[in-house]
Amino acid sequence: MKLADVLKSSVLARARVVAAADSLDRDVLWVHIIDLPEFVDWVRPGLLVLTTGYAWPREESAQVAMIRTMANHDLACIGLAVPHYFESMPAVMRSEAERLHLPLLEIPWDIPFVQITEAIHRTIMDEQYQVIEQSEAIYRALTHSALEIESLQELAERVGGLTRRSMTIEDSGGRILAEYTSQHHDESAPDESARVATGANAQTPARLLDYLEHAGYLRSIRHSPDPTHVPWLPQFGMPARVAFPVRIKEELVGVMWILEGDEPLSVLDERAARFAAVVAALQITRQRELASLEARLGYAFLDSLLEGRFGESPHALERAQILGFDPTQPYRAGVLVMDEPTPLSREGFLLRDQLAGDLRAHLRHVGAPPLLSLSLNHISFLLPGRIEPQRVWSRFSSESVSLALGRPFAGIAGVQKSYQEALSMQPYLPAHSLYLYETLLLPRVLQGDEEAQRAFLDGLFGKLKARRNGDVLVDTLIACAQVGFHYATAAEQLHIHPKSLHYRLLRASDISGIDLSDPDTRFRLQLAAHLLSLSDNHPG
């Protein structure tokens, strides 16, 4: 219990603080009566020492030295019974205790020490009993959580509710897997969610973890069972927090961050968080087992994603994130095509498995999730849009394979669209080559490929058609292309003023990014106008 709470008790109502009144937030672990000349071996940190002063020295220098010794032993407080052997606490002792932030009390002589020790010890024992009871309740709640919860988000909400503190659960790379923002926060504290506390963008968590690694904190997480206290980091704009490692055997699979707020974490909070880290490890282990099972059953996750059978429930999305897929980021769908006839021979199956293992390892090497799916002589995979396709192809360019990649799109539907683009390229793929959908699109258009023509027109006019009155802007571009970009003639054919034509073209350029001064863009628009005149269809 805190010294300030001790002084509020009725037994010490008449005691007077005579030094270090600003240091009453010290923890009182026990009360001890000491009236010995040699007291050093009898004191421990956190003690409230009661004394009559009978054995205290009378020389001021010795009194100052005694205060310094007691302060070095991190006592909670010293209480002197007055007046008897001392009329009051000596002035030099008060002055030195004030300098060293060691609280001193004057206790009326008529208050028996036994009454003080009995009252305070009873309160301390009651607090400990309450901690044990609450700890048992938390243990039961989290034990049920280990059996009941289906996601790390449920665990974060349950632990955050028990501790009344904001928290996040992150993987070892700093990516947030679950978060909880407590409503019980200091009104004067910065307004930050749990996500902002650990970094709202994709780069800050990695920068923070790099900082902690450099400062030695992550080494403590990896090699110590104790939570790691991280001080306030001004360069990240974060308040103090505590990190609890989440391990599976010796592997660090994540970190549970808990914001301390105004009040440091209590023993009870730390017990709850430490046990919650174990539950988090169990949940991640369960998710890994599910992922492993999916891989053994034919890479069901990626199959369901590419084939449109993926259910976007919170549980499914969390499992996808644990596997490394982030639906908010753009991905290319890739298809690695083996130069092997189907059905595959035994040697073909062995070769496909070997290629799949190599691809999985190489994806990890370039920082991509190792998500694969096997079918006949194809190996499908996902490549984050931030990674250049050539980095993957460089590993397989000497193999008897070809690689087709769709355009990068975000979201579940976007991945499926990219996959369909990659599949549509297979009839046009030369052997032992890398082709991107966007680079192969124009030759296919010129060859009369209807699917490529639709994609070509959608690429030019899709953004415009999605806008209100966008068809007017499309008609304007087509009219300009049909007259060789003679704007006066185009305005006349559209029956509008040249200034209106100029306004429409500026707006079309702003929306779609089309640069009408670029010869290649003009060629594409003229080709689009020709395709539309042949099919008599409008884009969209």
Side-chain angles (χ1 to χ4, degrees):
M1 62 187 302
K2 299 294 183 183
L3 178 58
D5 296 326
V6 169
L7 297 177
K8 292 176 185 177
S9 63
S10 59
V11 70
L12 287 177
R14 292 190 290 133
R16 188 165 69 95
V17 180
V18 295
D22 60 346
S23 301
L24 303 183
D25 59 342
R26 295 178 172 227
D27 289 318
V28 176
L29 303 180
W30 205 246
V31 184
H32 197 17
I33 302 170
I34 300 178
D35 265 327
L36 299 172
E38 299 295 333
F39 61 85
V40 173
D41 293 337
W42 297 82
V43 297
R44 297 289 184 274
L47 282 182
L48 192 165
V49 173
L50 303 177
T51 180
T52 64
Y54 170 76
W56 279 11
R58 293 307 192 259
E59 299 82 9
E60 290 186 352
S61 60
Q63 291 174 350
V64 170
M66 181 180 69
I67 287 294
R68 290 175 181 171
T69 300
M70 290 189 172
N72 288 338
H73 281 74
D74 202 19
L75 299 183
C77 181
I78 300 173
L80 174 66
V82 296
H84 195 72
Y85 297 109
F86 285 88
E87 287 295 318
S88 63
M89 188 72 71
V92 292
M93 295 178 70
R94 294 201 306 271
S95 176
E96 187 66 11
E98 189 73 35
R99 186 181 72 83
L100 298 173
H101 305 287
L102 174 62
L104 300 180
L105 300 179
E106 288 183 350
I107 302 172
W109 184 266
D110 60 343
I111 301 177
F113 281 174
V114 67
Q115 184 179 346
I116 298 173
T117 58
E118 181 182 358
I120 296 176
H121 286 167
R122 183 185 301 115
T123 303
I124 291 174
M125 295 300 292
D126 287 345
E127 280 194 355
Q128 291 298 319
Y129 181 72
Q130 290 176 9
V131 168
I132 292 172
E133 278 195 325
Q134 292 172 353
S135 180
E136 179 64 22
I138 289 173
Y139 175 80
R140 288 196 300 269
L142 291 177
T143 300
H144 288 307
S145 296
L147 300 174
E148 297 172 356
I149 63 170
E150 295 186 357
S151 68
L152 292 174
Q153 182 60 38
E154 289 183 50
L155 176 63
E157 292 171 358
R158 194 161 299 189
V159 176
L162 289 170
T163 60
R164 297 160 66 93
R165 298 176 190 271
S166 296
M167 64 171 297
T168 62
I169 301 174
E170 304 176 14
D171 64 18
S172 57
R175 187 165 54 91
I176 294 176
L177 302 176
E179 63 176 319
Y180 174 82
T181 302
S182 173
Q183 301 303 314
H184 307 281
H185 63 275
D186 178 17
E187 294 297 333
S188 64
D191 182 18
E192 62 164 5
S193 70
R195 181 178 293 276
V196 171
T198 356
N201 60 63
Q203 297 176 339
T204 301
R207 288 174 54 225
L208 172 61
L209 289 172
D210 288 343
Y211 177 90
L212 298 181
E213 180 75 69
H214 178 72
Y217 291 115
L218 280 190
R219 281 190 290 276
S220 299
I221 292 175
R222 291 186 178 121
H223 302 299
S224 169
D226 297 325
T228 300
H229 292 258
V230 181
W232 179 62
L233 303 173
Q235 60 268 54
F236 295 102
M238 300 180 188
R241 62 204 62 237
V242 182
F244 292 85
V246 180
R247 289 194 189 88
I248 299 175
K249 294 184 178 180
E250 295 301 318
E251 179 189 1
L252 178 73
V253 296
V255 180
M256 180 179 293
W257 295 97
I258 298 185
L259 275 66
E260 286 195 327
D262 288 341
E263 291 293 327
L265 260 70
S266 66
V267 173
L268 192 63
D269 293 331
E270 293 194 1
R271 287 178 182 174
R274 184 178 288 111
F275 188 67
V278 175
V279 177
L282 292 174
Q283 180 66 16
I284 292 174
T285 299
R286 182 186 307 165
Q287 295 284 13
R288 283 185 170 185
E289 289 176 351
L290 288 173
S292 177
L293 178 62
E294 287 175 338
R296 293 195 303 269
L297 295 177
Y299 304 92
F301 166 72
L302 189 56
D303 282 342
S304 66
L305 186 65
L306 298 179
E307 295 172 8
R309 295 181 285 105
F310 181 78
E312 297 186 50
S313 66
H315 176 54
L317 288 173
E318 181 181 288
R319 195 169 58 192
Q321 284 191 315
I322 289 176
L323 289 170
F325 175 73
D326 184 351
T328 65
Q329 299 298 314
Y331 291 87
R332 291 181 183 268
V335 179
L336 197 67
V337 183
M338 300 166 52
D339 187 13
E340 291 283 333
T342 55
L344 292 177
S345 64
R346 179 179 180 279
E347 290 73 18
F349 277 110
L350 293 175
L351 176 61
R352 189 184 67 178
D353 289 343
Q354 179 183 343
L355 287 171
D358 290 347
L359 178 58
R360 187 180 295 106
H362 194 63
L363 288 173
R364 288 196 183 97
H365 175 70
V366 299
L371 298 175
L372 277 67
S373 175
L374 312 183
S375 176
L376 301 176
N377 61 347
H378 298 168
I379 303 175
S380 304
F381 66 97
L382 295 184
L383 185 68
R386 58 183 169 78
I387 298 176
E388 287 295 326
Q390 188 62 38
R391 295 185 65 189
V392 176
W393 178 242
S394 63
R395 169 62 184 81
F396 298 95
S397 58
S398 61
E399 306 284 350
S400 297
V401 296
S402 299
L403 176 57
L405 287 154
R407 289 175 293 178
F409 297 103
I412 306 298
V415 168
Q416 294 165 2
K417 181 176 181 180
S418 183
Y419 179 60
Q420 291 303 318
E421 290 181 349
L423 290 179
S424 71
M425 297 166 63
Q426 291 184 45
Y428 305 93
L429 280 182
H432 318 309
S433 58
L434 163 68
Y435 271 94
L436 309 182
Y437 185 82
E438 53 267 37
T439 60
L440 199 58
L441 185 60
L442 194 56
R444 291 172 56 198
V445 170
L446 296 175
Q447 290 176 13
D449 186 326
E450 293 185 1
E451 189 276 334
Q453 290 175 358
R454 285 193 295 270
F456 174 73
L457 293 173
D458 182 65
L460 279 176
F461 303 126
K463 290 182 180 179
L464 295 174
K465 295 294 293 182
R467 294 296 187 95
R468 183 180 178 185
N469 297 325
D471 54 342
V472 174
L473 301 179
V474 173
D475 290 340
T476 302
L477 289 172
I478 293 171
C480 288
Q482 287 173 334
V483 297
F485 297 96
H486 296 291
Y487 296 127
T489 304
E492 183 179 343
Q493 288 190 1
L494 291 169
H495 307 292
I496 59 176
H497 193 276
K499 288 185 177 180
S500 297
L501 176 70
H502 180 68
Y503 169 77
R504 288 185 188 180
L505 294 177
L506 284 177
R507 180 160 172 76
S509 179
D510 288 340
I511 294 173
S512 65
I514 289 175
D515 181 6
L516 291 176
S517 64
D518 179 33
D520 182 66
T521 300
R522 290 190 172 194
F523 167 73
R524 289 172 181 268
L525 287 171
Q526 288 176 320
L527 177 59
H530 180 67
L531 292 173
L532 290 171
S533 66
L534 289 177
S535 63
D536 226 8
N537 287 327
H538 212 266

